Amino acid sequence: MSTTTPIIGDWRRHAERLTLDGRAFIDGGYADALSGATLEARTPLTGERIADLAACDEADVDVAVAAARRAFEHGAWSRAAPAERKRVLLRLAELVRDHRDELAATITLDAGRPITAARGEVDGAADTFQFYAEAIDKVLDEVAPTQPTALALVTREPIGVVAAVVPWNFPIGMATWKLAPALAAGNSVIVKPAEQASLVLTRLAALMHEAGVPAGVQQVLPGRGEDAGQALGRHHDVDAVAFTGSTEVGKLFLIYAGQSNMKSVSLECGGKSPNIVLADAGDLDRVARFAALGAFVNQGEMCSSGSRLVVEEAIRDELVERVVAHSAAWQVGDPFDPATTSGALIDETQMDRVLDYVAVGRTAGARLVAGGERVAPESGGYYVAPTVFDDVDNGMRIAQEEIFGPVLSVIPARDADDAVRIANDTMYGLAAAVWTRDVTTAHRVSRAVRAGTVWVNTYNQANLAVPFGGYKQSGFGRDKSLHALEKYTQLKTTWLNLEV
Ligand code: NAD
């Protein structure tokens, strides 16, 4: 494991030396799509092509699902002692750490994440494999308190073949939140990476193989959502889909399940999270720093982005002034510079979408007080300045629709009740925050806000032991924590008659 942080030039050289293999990993080895078709992987740093991806479709999905089912039935993984799966996954965690710089540079090149953040993401992936490895031989089943003439065992069994369909914003992180608990529980898992950021996952497949995850138990199939993603969603021999992505596509997976085999579906979808600041919040500079962090971290390409700053009128002017000052401190630019805090948006389409929303906000009458424009266009990269709109009405599109870019809307509220009303006035319910010094108000507001996570006097705090997921159209099911195992197992009740 490397312990030093290479400087920018070193990182660039590192990236130039990467071997990028965009082929699928099926049944224990790399393979082209059966059709021979490919997709181009382009870097958002310059727009240049960096690799070809196998464009898998229904035919490849059929082969992968058959291999996954064979491996599951064979039992080398699904029926292995949990302690054996633990050993393999701990080896995998170490292998991921050993390859941290390579994996991080791949993420930065392919997805535009700042290198410092990408390294953190890879560390998080290793920690996730370790967390579920260490947990899986400590999770006990149940004996129910039935009548004394019977014994009822309530046991958890792996669900079978799991498809994990993931987005591009945390290319390894979102996938490992699903891979680690699903593999630990004994399933066969097929990962469908996002077209925009597949390369770190096609590489991870080889590391999973090297760690000792058997052939067919883990497979990675790049390809278009409408092709590989849909084929997995509609497959009659896939038992569960764990999806992270947009609400729109999440709904399609419910349709696919209903039209095929009623597979179980869990959805981690979008958000429009309110960050509520009440007049008694206290240190407004600290609040402003977190407000900027909540909105701009990962270039705003974050499901839990605190994209609505709901502020009690009495402190609005001062807070907005401080948020604007903090947003100016975000260093936007070359993601291979370790000092960069905001890298490139994932592709030109996403950048244009974000800039369109800036125009939509202006037209609707919101007041642009920071950013709003592309940065360093001469690089060919897709950079957008941290952007703040004041005077936003919660009914405006910029307050209702997920932008998935560095755009913060400041929405005035009369008091705490009005703030809660505004906070809940959205189809989403992923996360929220409230800033107040009053403990009663903190509890009252956290209870009233309909969101899967509520932060009090902080934003984006996280820990693997804590579940993460949404209410409403942000989805259902939870990633992280021991609760995630529920998505990848099913309960079996076995009755034994003890009467003689
Ligand atoms: P997306 O919905 O466009 O794509 C997600 C995945 O679905 C990709 O692998 C894609 O190829 C696949 N897909 C696309 N169309 C499909 C179709 N018709 N059938 C089957 N599969 C299809 O999302 P994205 O643009 O990659 O990611 C951004 C979204 O992800 C945002 O909405 C964000 O909020 C969400 N997200 C949520 C969480 C969370 O934990 N709640 C975390 C990260 C990202």
PDB file of all heavy atoms in Angstrom, residues 165-169 174 192-195 223-226 229-230 243-246 249 252-253 256 268-271 303 402 404 430 468, ligand 1:
ATOM      1  N   VAL A 165     -27.289  -2.595 -10.121  1.00  0.00           N
ATOM      2  CA  VAL A 165     -27.229  -1.622 -11.216  1.00  0.00           C
ATOM      3  C   VAL A 165     -26.904  -0.267 -10.594  1.00  0.00           C
ATOM      4  O   VAL A 165     -27.652   0.223  -9.739  1.00  0.00           O
ATOM      5  CB  VAL A 165     -28.566  -1.585 -11.995  1.00  0.00           C
ATOM      6  CG1 VAL A 165     -28.491  -0.591 -13.154  1.00  0.00           C
ATOM      7  CG2 VAL A 165     -28.917  -2.986 -12.501  1.00  0.00           C
ATOM      8  N   VAL A 166     -25.786   0.309 -10.998  1.00  0.00           N
ATOM      9  CA  VAL A 166     -25.238   1.441 -10.228  1.00  0.00           C
ATOM     10  C   VAL A 166     -24.964   2.667 -11.095  1.00  0.00           C
ATOM     11  O   VAL A 166     -24.817   2.558 -12.312  1.00  0.00           O
ATOM     12  CB  VAL A 166     -23.962   1.006  -9.472  1.00  0.00           C
ATOM     13  CG1 VAL A 166     -24.307  -0.039  -8.416  1.00  0.00           C
ATOM     14  CG2 VAL A 166     -22.898   0.485 -10.409  1.00  0.00           C
ATOM     15  N   PRO A 167     -24.862   3.847 -10.447  1.00  0.00           N
ATOM     16  CA  PRO A 167     -24.629   5.096 -11.177  1.00  0.00           C
ATOM     17  C   PRO A 167     -23.135   5.426 -11.267  1.00  0.00           C
ATOM     18  O   PRO A 167     -22.294   4.647 -10.812  1.00  0.00           O
ATOM     19  CB  PRO A 167     -25.347   6.117 -10.294  1.00  0.00           C
ATOM     20  CG  PRO A 167     -25.094   5.611  -8.905  1.00  0.00           C
ATOM     21  CD  PRO A 167     -25.050   4.110  -9.001  1.00  0.00           C
ATOM     22  N   TRP A 168     -22.838   6.627 -11.767  1.00  0.00           N
ATOM     23  CA  TRP A 168     -21.441   6.987 -12.045  1.00  0.00           C
ATOM     24  C   TRP A 168     -20.843   7.902 -10.990  1.00  0.00           C
ATOM     25  O   TRP A 168     -19.653   8.189 -11.032  1.00  0.00           O
ATOM     26  CB  TRP A 168     -21.339   7.684 -13.413  1.00  0.00           C
ATOM     27  CG  TRP A 168     -22.451   8.659 -13.677  1.00  0.00           C
ATOM     28  CD1 TRP A 168     -23.558   8.431 -14.456  1.00  0.00           C
ATOM     29  CD2 TRP A 168     -22.595   9.994 -13.184  1.00  0.00           C
ATOM     30  NE1 TRP A 168     -24.377   9.529 -14.452  1.00  0.00           N
ATOM     31  CE2 TRP A 168     -23.805  10.512 -13.687  1.00  0.00           C
ATOM     32  CE3 TRP A 168     -21.806  10.806 -12.365  1.00  0.00           C
ATOM     33  CZ2 TRP A 168     -24.256  11.790 -13.397  1.00  0.00           C
ATOM     34  CZ3 TRP A 168     -22.251  12.092 -12.079  1.00  0.00           C
ATOM     35  CH2 TRP A 168     -23.466  12.557 -12.586  1.00  0.00           C
ATOM     36  N   ASN A 169     -21.635   8.425 -10.056  1.00  0.00           N
ATOM     37  CA  ASN A 169     -21.104   9.535  -9.237  1.00  0.00           C
ATOM     38  C   ASN A 169     -20.087   9.099  -8.184  1.00  0.00           C
ATOM     39  O   ASN A 169     -19.198   9.868  -7.844  1.00  0.00           O
ATOM     40  CB  ASN A 169     -22.242  10.356  -8.612  1.00  0.00           C
ATOM     41  CG  ASN A 169     -23.124   9.551  -7.697  1.00  0.00           C
ATOM     42  OD1 ASN A 169     -23.243   8.341  -7.843  1.00  0.00           O
ATOM     43  ND2 ASN A 169     -23.749  10.218  -6.748  1.00  0.00           N
ATOM     44  N   MET A 174     -20.601   3.202  -4.707  1.00  0.00           N
ATOM     45  CA  MET A 174     -22.001   2.762  -4.781  1.00  0.00           C
ATOM     46  C   MET A 174     -22.086   1.266  -5.059  1.00  0.00           C
ATOM     47  O   MET A 174     -22.974   0.573  -4.556  1.00  0.00           O
ATOM     48  CB  MET A 174     -22.740   3.538  -5.884  1.00  0.00           C
ATOM     49  CG  MET A 174     -22.917   5.013  -5.624  1.00  0.00           C
ATOM     50  SD  MET A 174     -23.856   5.362  -4.126  1.00  0.00           S
ATOM     51  CE  MET A 174     -22.566   5.767  -2.976  1.00  0.00           C
ATOM     52  N   LYS A 192     -23.830  -4.063 -12.951  1.00  0.00           N
ATOM     53  CA  LYS A 192     -23.947  -3.298 -14.200  1.00  0.00           C
ATOM     54  C   LYS A 192     -23.514  -1.875 -13.889  1.00  0.00           C
ATOM     55  O   LYS A 192     -24.257  -1.095 -13.297  1.00  0.00           O
ATOM     56  CB  LYS A 192     -25.404  -3.337 -14.682  1.00  0.00           C
ATOM     57  CG  LYS A 192     -25.596  -3.260 -16.187  1.00  0.00           C
ATOM     58  CD  LYS A 192     -24.994  -2.038 -16.845  1.00  0.00           C
ATOM     59  CE  LYS A 192     -25.943  -0.861 -16.844  1.00  0.00           C
ATOM     60  NZ  LYS A 192     -25.299   0.373 -17.367  1.00  0.00           N
ATOM     61  N   PRO A 193     -22.259  -1.520 -14.270  1.00  0.00           N
ATOM     62  CA  PRO A 193     -21.795  -0.154 -13.994  1.00  0.00           C
ATOM     63  C   PRO A 193     -22.504   0.853 -14.904  1.00  0.00           C
ATOM     64  O   PRO A 193     -23.103   0.467 -15.912  1.00  0.00           O
ATOM     65  CB  PRO A 193     -20.303  -0.196 -14.369  1.00  0.00           C
ATOM     66  CG  PRO A 193     -19.982  -1.616 -14.723  1.00  0.00           C
ATOM     67  CD  PRO A 193     -21.263  -2.315 -15.008  1.00  0.00           C
ATOM     68  N   ALA A 194     -22.416   2.119 -14.549  1.00  0.00           N
ATOM     69  CA  ALA A 194     -22.939   3.167 -15.430  1.00  0.00           C
ATOM     70  C   ALA A 194     -22.004   3.297 -16.640  1.00  0.00           C
ATOM     71  O   ALA A 194     -20.786   3.155 -16.512  1.00  0.00           O
ATOM     72  CB  ALA A 194     -23.022   4.489 -14.679  1.00  0.00           C
ATOM     73  N   GLU A 195     -22.584   3.583 -17.795  1.00  0.00           N
ATOM     74  CA  GLU A 195     -21.804   3.725 -19.023  1.00  0.00           C
ATOM     75  C   GLU A 195     -20.689   4.752 -18.857  1.00  0.00           C
ATOM     76  O   GLU A 195     -19.616   4.634 -19.441  1.00  0.00           O
ATOM     77  CB  GLU A 195     -22.697   4.226 -20.179  1.00  0.00           C
ATOM     78  CG  GLU A 195     -23.821   3.331 -20.585  1.00  0.00           C
ATOM     79  CD  GLU A 195     -25.095   3.537 -19.757  1.00  0.00           C
ATOM     80  OE1 GLU A 195     -25.010   3.604 -18.514  1.00  0.00           O
ATOM     81  OE2 GLU A 195     -26.175   3.599 -20.364  1.00  0.00           O
ATOM     82  N   GLY A 223     -22.309  -1.792 -20.250  1.00  0.00           N
ATOM     83  CA  GLY A 223     -23.283  -1.748 -21.349  1.00  0.00           C
ATOM     84  C   GLY A 223     -24.299  -0.664 -21.091  1.00  0.00           C
ATOM     85  O   GLY A 223     -24.327  -0.065 -20.015  1.00  0.00           O
ATOM     86  N   ARG A 224     -25.117  -0.430 -22.099  1.00  0.00           N
ATOM     87  CA  ARG A 224     -26.142   0.620 -21.945  1.00  0.00           C
ATOM     88  C   ARG A 224     -27.219   0.181 -20.966  1.00  0.00           C
ATOM     89  O   ARG A 224     -27.547  -0.996 -20.877  1.00  0.00           O
ATOM     90  CB  ARG A 224     -26.813   0.877 -23.290  1.00  0.00           C
ATOM     91  CG  ARG A 224     -25.947   1.627 -24.252  1.00  0.00           C
ATOM     92  CD  ARG A 224     -26.789   2.267 -25.367  1.00  0.00           C
ATOM     93  NE  ARG A 224     -25.917   3.004 -26.260  1.00  0.00           N
ATOM     94  CZ  ARG A 224     -25.226   2.423 -27.247  1.00  0.00           C
ATOM     95  NH1 ARG A 224     -25.339   1.130 -27.462  1.00  0.00           N
ATOM     96  NH2 ARG A 224     -24.421   3.149 -28.006  1.00  0.00           N
ATOM     97  N   GLY A 225     -27.782   1.183 -20.285  1.00  0.00           N
ATOM     98  CA  GLY A 225     -28.873   0.888 -19.360  1.00  0.00           C
ATOM     99  C   GLY A 225     -30.030   0.204 -20.055  1.00  0.00           C
ATOM    100  O   GLY A 225     -30.562  -0.806 -19.572  1.00  0.00           O
ATOM    101  N   GLU A 226     -30.417   0.720 -21.226  1.00  0.00           N
ATOM    102  CA  GLU A 226     -31.582   0.156 -21.925  1.00  0.00           C
ATOM    103  C   GLU A 226     -31.317  -1.282 -22.378  1.00  0.00           C
ATOM    104  O   GLU A 226     -32.266  -2.034 -22.635  1.00  0.00           O
ATOM    105  CB  GLU A 226     -31.950   0.967 -23.187  1.00  0.00           C
ATOM    106  CG  GLU A 226     -32.000   2.463 -23.036  1.00  0.00           C
ATOM    107  CD  GLU A 226     -30.632   3.107 -23.191  1.00  0.00           C
ATOM    108  OE1 GLU A 226     -30.207   3.379 -24.325  1.00  0.00           O
ATOM    109  OE2 GLU A 226     -29.976   3.331 -22.159  1.00  0.00           O
ATOM    110  N   GLY A 229     -28.877  -3.195 -18.596  1.00  0.00           N
ATOM    111  CA  GLY A 229     -29.642  -2.902 -17.381  1.00  0.00           C
ATOM    112  C   GLY A 229     -31.050  -3.458 -17.472  1.00  0.00           C
ATOM    113  O   GLY A 229     -31.538  -4.152 -16.573  1.00  0.00           O
ATOM    114  N   GLN A 230     -31.686  -3.182 -18.592  1.00  0.00           N
ATOM    115  CA  GLN A 230     -33.069  -3.659 -18.767  1.00  0.00           C
ATOM    116  C   GLN A 230     -33.129  -5.189 -18.789  1.00  0.00           C
ATOM    117  O   GLN A 230     -34.028  -5.800 -18.194  1.00  0.00           O
ATOM    118  CB  GLN A 230     -33.677  -3.075 -20.048  1.00  0.00           C
ATOM    119  CG  GLN A 230     -35.030  -3.640 -20.350  1.00  0.00           C
ATOM    120  CD  GLN A 230     -35.865  -2.815 -21.327  1.00  0.00           C
ATOM    121  OE1 GLN A 230     -37.077  -2.926 -21.288  1.00  0.00           O
ATOM    122  NE2 GLN A 230     -35.258  -2.002 -22.154  1.00  0.00           N
ATOM    123  N   PHE A 243     -30.688  -1.355  -6.950  1.00  0.00           N
ATOM    124  CA  PHE A 243     -30.463  -0.261  -7.906  1.00  0.00           C
ATOM    125  C   PHE A 243     -30.105   1.027  -7.180  1.00  0.00           C
ATOM    126  O   PHE A 243     -30.717   1.372  -6.172  1.00  0.00           O
ATOM    127  CB  PHE A 243     -31.743  -0.040  -8.719  1.00  0.00           C
ATOM    128  CG  PHE A 243     -31.712   1.193  -9.595  1.00  0.00           C
ATOM    129  CD1 PHE A 243     -31.048   1.191 -10.814  1.00  0.00           C
ATOM    130  CD2 PHE A 243     -32.350   2.367  -9.192  1.00  0.00           C
ATOM    131  CE1 PHE A 243     -31.010   2.331 -11.613  1.00  0.00           C
ATOM    132  CE2 PHE A 243     -32.320   3.510  -9.989  1.00  0.00           C
ATOM    133  CZ  PHE A 243     -31.652   3.489 -11.199  1.00  0.00           C
ATOM    134  N   THR A 244     -29.119   1.735  -7.684  1.00  0.00           N
ATOM    135  CA  THR A 244     -28.901   3.124  -7.289  1.00  0.00           C
ATOM    136  C   THR A 244     -28.856   3.944  -8.567  1.00  0.00           C
ATOM    137  O   THR A 244     -28.127   3.609  -9.509  1.00  0.00           O
ATOM    138  CB  THR A 244     -27.584   3.311  -6.513  1.00  0.00           C
ATOM    139  OG1 THR A 244     -27.648   2.556  -5.310  1.00  0.00           O
ATOM    140  CG2 THR A 244     -27.372   4.776  -6.139  1.00  0.00           C
ATOM    141  N   GLY A 245     -29.627   5.022  -8.586  1.00  0.00           N
ATOM    142  CA  GLY A 245     -29.668   5.872  -9.770  1.00  0.00           C
ATOM    143  C   GLY A 245     -30.857   6.807  -9.682  1.00  0.00           C
ATOM    144  O   GLY A 245     -31.354   7.087  -8.589  1.00  0.00           O
ATOM    145  N   SER A 246     -31.314   7.253 -10.834  1.00  0.00           N
ATOM    146  CA  SER A 246     -32.386   8.250 -10.842  1.00  0.00           C
ATOM    147  C   SER A 246     -33.728   7.626 -10.474  1.00  0.00           C
ATOM    148  O   SER A 246     -33.951   6.427 -10.681  1.00  0.00           O
ATOM    149  CB  SER A 246     -32.473   8.872 -12.235  1.00  0.00           C
ATOM    150  OG  SER A 246     -32.753   7.856 -13.171  1.00  0.00           O
ATOM    151  N   VAL A 249     -35.455   5.990 -13.597  1.00  0.00           N
ATOM    152  CA  VAL A 249     -35.042   4.628 -13.965  1.00  0.00           C
ATOM    153  C   VAL A 249     -35.415   3.648 -12.850  1.00  0.00           C
ATOM    154  O   VAL A 249     -35.788   2.509 -13.126  1.00  0.00           O
ATOM    155  CB  VAL A 249     -33.530   4.581 -14.306  1.00  0.00           C
ATOM    156  CG1 VAL A 249     -33.086   3.149 -14.585  1.00  0.00           C
ATOM    157  CG2 VAL A 249     -33.226   5.460 -15.509  1.00  0.00           C
ATOM    158  N   LEU A 252     -38.637   2.245 -13.529  1.00  0.00           N
ATOM    159  CA  LEU A 252     -38.640   1.228 -14.601  1.00  0.00           C
ATOM    160  C   LEU A 252     -38.346  -0.153 -14.033  1.00  0.00           C
ATOM    161  O   LEU A 252     -38.915  -1.151 -14.469  1.00  0.00           O
ATOM    162  CB  LEU A 252     -37.579   1.571 -15.664  1.00  0.00           C
ATOM    163  CG  LEU A 252     -37.852   2.795 -16.527  1.00  0.00           C
ATOM    164  CD1 LEU A 252     -36.706   2.999 -17.523  1.00  0.00           C
ATOM    165  CD2 LEU A 252     -39.172   2.634 -17.271  1.00  0.00           C
ATOM    166  N   PHE A 253     -37.456  -0.212 -13.017  1.00  0.00           N
ATOM    167  CA  PHE A 253     -37.134  -1.522 -12.450  1.00  0.00           C
ATOM    168  C   PHE A 253     -38.342  -2.152 -11.748  1.00  0.00           C
ATOM    169  O   PHE A 253     -38.481  -3.376 -11.727  1.00  0.00           O
ATOM    170  CB  PHE A 253     -35.908  -1.446 -11.533  1.00  0.00           C
ATOM    171  CG  PHE A 253     -34.624  -1.540 -12.321  1.00  0.00           C
ATOM    172  CD1 PHE A 253     -33.947  -0.397 -12.689  1.00  0.00           C
ATOM    173  CD2 PHE A 253     -34.143  -2.770 -12.737  1.00  0.00           C
ATOM    174  CE1 PHE A 253     -32.793  -0.475 -13.456  1.00  0.00           C
ATOM    175  CE2 PHE A 253     -32.987  -2.868 -13.501  1.00  0.00           C
ATOM    176  CZ  PHE A 253     -32.308  -1.720 -13.865  1.00  0.00           C
ATOM    177  N   TYR A 256     -40.194  -3.586 -14.677  1.00  0.00           N
ATOM    178  CA  TYR A 256     -39.527  -4.811 -15.175  1.00  0.00           C
ATOM    179  C   TYR A 256     -39.853  -5.990 -14.257  1.00  0.00           C
ATOM    180  O   TYR A 256     -40.128  -7.097 -14.717  1.00  0.00           O
ATOM    181  CB  TYR A 256     -38.003  -4.652 -15.193  1.00  0.00           C
ATOM    182  CG  TYR A 256     -37.442  -3.533 -16.048  1.00  0.00           C
ATOM    183  CD1 TYR A 256     -36.188  -2.988 -15.758  1.00  0.00           C
ATOM    184  CD2 TYR A 256     -38.127  -3.033 -17.154  1.00  0.00           C
ATOM    185  CE1 TYR A 256     -35.631  -1.980 -16.527  1.00  0.00           C
ATOM    186  CE2 TYR A 256     -37.584  -2.012 -17.927  1.00  0.00           C
ATOM    187  CZ  TYR A 256     -36.332  -1.489 -17.607  1.00  0.00           C
ATOM    188  OH  TYR A 256     -35.784  -0.486 -18.356  1.00  0.00           O
ATOM    189  N   GLU A 268     -32.286   3.001  -4.449  1.00  0.00           N
ATOM    190  CA  GLU A 268     -31.655   4.185  -3.846  1.00  0.00           C
ATOM    191  C   GLU A 268     -31.664   5.247  -4.931  1.00  0.00           C
ATOM    192  O   GLU A 268     -30.850   5.190  -5.848  1.00  0.00           O
ATOM    193  CB  GLU A 268     -30.204   3.879  -3.449  1.00  0.00           C
ATOM    194  CG  GLU A 268     -30.037   2.784  -2.426  1.00  0.00           C
ATOM    195  CD  GLU A 268     -30.322   3.259  -1.020  1.00  0.00           C
ATOM    196  OE1 GLU A 268     -30.565   4.461  -0.829  1.00  0.00           O
ATOM    197  OE2 GLU A 268     -30.310   2.407  -0.116  1.00  0.00           O
ATOM    198  N   CYS A 269     -32.598   6.182  -4.828  1.00  0.00           N
ATOM    199  CA  CYS A 269     -32.781   7.100  -5.954  1.00  0.00           C
ATOM    200  C   CYS A 269     -32.386   8.533  -5.604  1.00  0.00           C
ATOM    201  O   CYS A 269     -31.567   8.747  -4.732  1.00  0.00           O
ATOM    202  CB  CYS A 269     -34.197   6.984  -6.469  1.00  0.00           C
ATOM    203  SG  CYS A 269     -34.554   5.318  -7.086  1.00  0.00           S
ATOM    204  N   GLY A 270     -32.977   9.467  -6.298  1.00  0.00           N
ATOM    205  CA  GLY A 270     -32.520  10.846  -6.208  1.00  0.00           C
ATOM    206  C   GLY A 270     -32.949  11.569  -4.944  1.00  0.00           C
ATOM    207  O   GLY A 270     -33.596  10.993  -4.070  1.00  0.00           O
ATOM    208  N   GLY A 271     -32.559  12.835  -4.862  1.00  0.00           N
ATOM    209  CA  GLY A 271     -32.915  13.631  -3.708  1.00  0.00           C
ATOM    210  C   GLY A 271     -32.933  15.116  -4.028  1.00  0.00           C
ATOM    211  O   GLY A 271     -32.432  15.553  -5.080  1.00  0.00           O
ATOM    212  N   CYS A 303     -26.292  12.289  -4.360  1.00  0.00           N
ATOM    213  CA  CYS A 303     -27.730  12.080  -4.135  1.00  0.00           C
ATOM    214  C   CYS A 303     -28.204  12.842  -2.904  1.00  0.00           C
ATOM    215  O   CYS A 303     -29.310  13.337  -2.864  1.00  0.00           O
ATOM    216  CB  CYS A 303     -28.009  10.599  -3.982  1.00  0.00           C
ATOM    217  SG  CYS A 303     -26.966   9.839  -2.746  1.00  0.00           S
ATOM    218  N   GLU A 402     -34.070  17.502  -9.290  1.00  0.00           N
ATOM    219  CA  GLU A 402     -32.685  17.189  -8.928  1.00  0.00           C
ATOM    220  C   GLU A 402     -31.760  17.641 -10.053  1.00  0.00           C
ATOM    221  O   GLU A 402     -31.871  17.171 -11.182  1.00  0.00           O
ATOM    222  CB  GLU A 402     -32.541  15.674  -8.708  1.00  0.00           C
ATOM    223  CG  GLU A 402     -31.163  15.304  -8.227  1.00  0.00           C
ATOM    224  CD  GLU A 402     -31.003  13.808  -8.017  1.00  0.00           C
ATOM    225  OE1 GLU A 402     -31.415  13.033  -8.892  1.00  0.00           O
ATOM    226  OE2 GLU A 402     -30.453  13.430  -6.970  1.00  0.00           O
ATOM    227  N   PHE A 404     -28.249  17.687  -9.834  1.00  0.00           N
ATOM    228  CA  PHE A 404     -27.059  16.839  -9.821  1.00  0.00           C
ATOM    229  C   PHE A 404     -25.833  17.593 -10.342  1.00  0.00           C
ATOM    230  O   PHE A 404     -25.085  17.134 -11.193  1.00  0.00           O
ATOM    231  CB  PHE A 404     -27.293  15.559 -10.624  1.00  0.00           C
ATOM    232  CG  PHE A 404     -26.833  14.334  -9.889  1.00  0.00           C
ATOM    233  CD1 PHE A 404     -27.322  14.041  -8.627  1.00  0.00           C
ATOM    234  CD2 PHE A 404     -25.880  13.476 -10.437  1.00  0.00           C
ATOM    235  CE1 PHE A 404     -26.884  12.920  -7.934  1.00  0.00           C
ATOM    236  CE2 PHE A 404     -25.442  12.352  -9.749  1.00  0.00           C
ATOM    237  CZ  PHE A 404     -25.952  12.084  -8.490  1.00  0.00           C
ATOM    238  N   LEU A 430     -34.679  11.865   0.741  1.00  0.00           N
ATOM    239  CA  LEU A 430     -33.444  11.112   1.016  1.00  0.00           C
ATOM    240  C   LEU A 430     -32.781  11.585   2.307  1.00  0.00           C
ATOM    241  O   LEU A 430     -32.476  10.791   3.188  1.00  0.00           O
ATOM    242  CB  LEU A 430     -32.473  11.243  -0.166  1.00  0.00           C
ATOM    243  CG  LEU A 430     -31.252  10.329  -0.090  1.00  0.00           C
ATOM    244  CD1 LEU A 430     -31.660   8.871  -0.030  1.00  0.00           C
ATOM    245  CD2 LEU A 430     -30.329  10.555  -1.278  1.00  0.00           C
ATOM    246  N   PHE A 468     -28.378   3.924   5.211  1.00  0.00           N
ATOM    247  CA  PHE A 468     -28.572   5.083   4.339  1.00  0.00           C
ATOM    248  C   PHE A 468     -29.578   4.719   3.249  1.00  0.00           C
ATOM    249  O   PHE A 468     -29.442   3.705   2.576  1.00  0.00           O
ATOM    250  CB  PHE A 468     -27.237   5.485   3.691  1.00  0.00           C
ATOM    251  CG  PHE A 468     -27.356   6.713   2.833  1.00  0.00           C
ATOM    252  CD1 PHE A 468     -27.444   7.971   3.414  1.00  0.00           C
ATOM    253  CD2 PHE A 468     -27.405   6.606   1.452  1.00  0.00           C
ATOM    254  CE1 PHE A 468     -27.580   9.107   2.622  1.00  0.00           C
ATOM    255  CE2 PHE A 468     -27.541   7.738   0.662  1.00  0.00           C
ATOM    256  CZ  PHE A 468     -27.623   8.985   1.248  1.00  0.00           C
TER     257      PHE A 468
HETATM  258  P1  NAD B   1     -29.424   6.664 -14.037  1.00  0.00           P
HETATM  259  O1  NAD B   1     -30.717   6.321 -13.413  1.00  0.00           O
HETATM  260  O2  NAD B   1     -29.431   7.327 -15.356  1.00  0.00           O
HETATM  261  O3  NAD B   1     -28.539   5.334 -14.233  1.00  0.00           O
HETATM  262  C1  NAD B   1     -28.284   4.455 -13.184  1.00  0.00           C
HETATM  263  C2  NAD B   1     -28.016   3.082 -13.749  1.00  0.00           C
HETATM  264  O4  NAD B   1     -29.190   2.616 -14.409  1.00  0.00           O
HETATM  265  C3  NAD B   1     -26.900   3.041 -14.782  1.00  0.00           C
HETATM  266  O5  NAD B   1     -26.151   1.864 -14.633  1.00  0.00           O
HETATM  267  C4  NAD B   1     -27.664   3.029 -16.086  1.00  0.00           C
HETATM  268  O6  NAD B   1     -26.961   2.418 -17.149  1.00  0.00           O
HETATM  269  C5  NAD B   1     -28.886   2.224 -15.725  1.00  0.00           C
HETATM  270  N1  NAD B   1     -30.029   2.515 -16.608  1.00  0.00           N
HETATM  271  C6  NAD B   1     -30.288   3.675 -17.262  1.00  0.00           C
HETATM  272  N2  NAD B   1     -31.405   3.541 -18.001  1.00  0.00           N
HETATM  273  C7  NAD B   1     -31.869   2.283 -17.797  1.00  0.00           C
HETATM  274  C8  NAD B   1     -32.995   1.563 -18.282  1.00  0.00           C
HETATM  275  N3  NAD B   1     -33.861   2.094 -19.152  1.00  0.00           N
HETATM  276  N4  NAD B   1     -33.170   0.294 -17.847  1.00  0.00           N
HETATM  277  C9  NAD B   1     -32.293  -0.262 -16.990  1.00  0.00           C
HETATM  278  N5  NAD B   1     -31.204   0.366 -16.517  1.00  0.00           N
HETATM  279  C10 NAD B   1     -30.994   1.630 -16.913  1.00  0.00           C
HETATM  280  O7  NAD B   1     -28.626   7.479 -12.947  1.00  0.00           O
HETATM  281  P2  NAD B   1     -27.197   8.164 -13.096  1.00  0.00           P
HETATM  282  O8  NAD B   1     -27.348   9.345 -13.988  1.00  0.00           O
HETATM  283  O9  NAD B   1     -26.166   7.136 -13.443  1.00  0.00           O
HETATM  284  O10 NAD B   1     -26.906   8.620 -11.582  1.00  0.00           O
HETATM  285  C11 NAD B   1     -27.439   9.762 -11.034  1.00  0.00           C
HETATM  286  C12 NAD B   1     -28.643   9.422 -10.185  1.00  0.00           C
HETATM  287  O11 NAD B   1     -28.288   8.479  -9.161  1.00  0.00           O
HETATM  288  C13 NAD B   1     -29.169  10.625  -9.424  1.00  0.00           C
HETATM  289  O12 NAD B   1     -30.566  10.682  -9.537  1.00  0.00           O
HETATM  290  C14 NAD B   1     -28.748  10.361  -7.986  1.00  0.00           C
HETATM  291  O13 NAD B   1     -29.538  10.981  -7.026  1.00  0.00           O
HETATM  292  C15 NAD B   1     -28.836   8.885  -7.912  1.00  0.00           C
HETATM  293  N6  NAD B   1     -28.039   8.382  -6.770  1.00  0.00           N
HETATM  294  C16 NAD B   1     -28.692   7.965  -5.632  1.00  0.00           C
HETATM  295  C17 NAD B   1     -27.980   7.521  -4.522  1.00  0.00           C
HETATM  296  C18 NAD B   1     -28.666   7.051  -3.264  1.00  0.00           C
HETATM  297  O14 NAD B   1     -28.020   6.397  -2.444  1.00  0.00           O
HETATM  298  N7  NAD B   1     -29.933   7.341  -3.062  1.00  0.00           N
HETATM  299  C19 NAD B   1     -26.585   7.496  -4.581  1.00  0.00           C
HETATM  300  C20 NAD B   1     -25.944   7.933  -5.738  1.00  0.00           C
HETATM  301  C21 NAD B   1     -26.692   8.370  -6.837  1.00  0.00           C
END
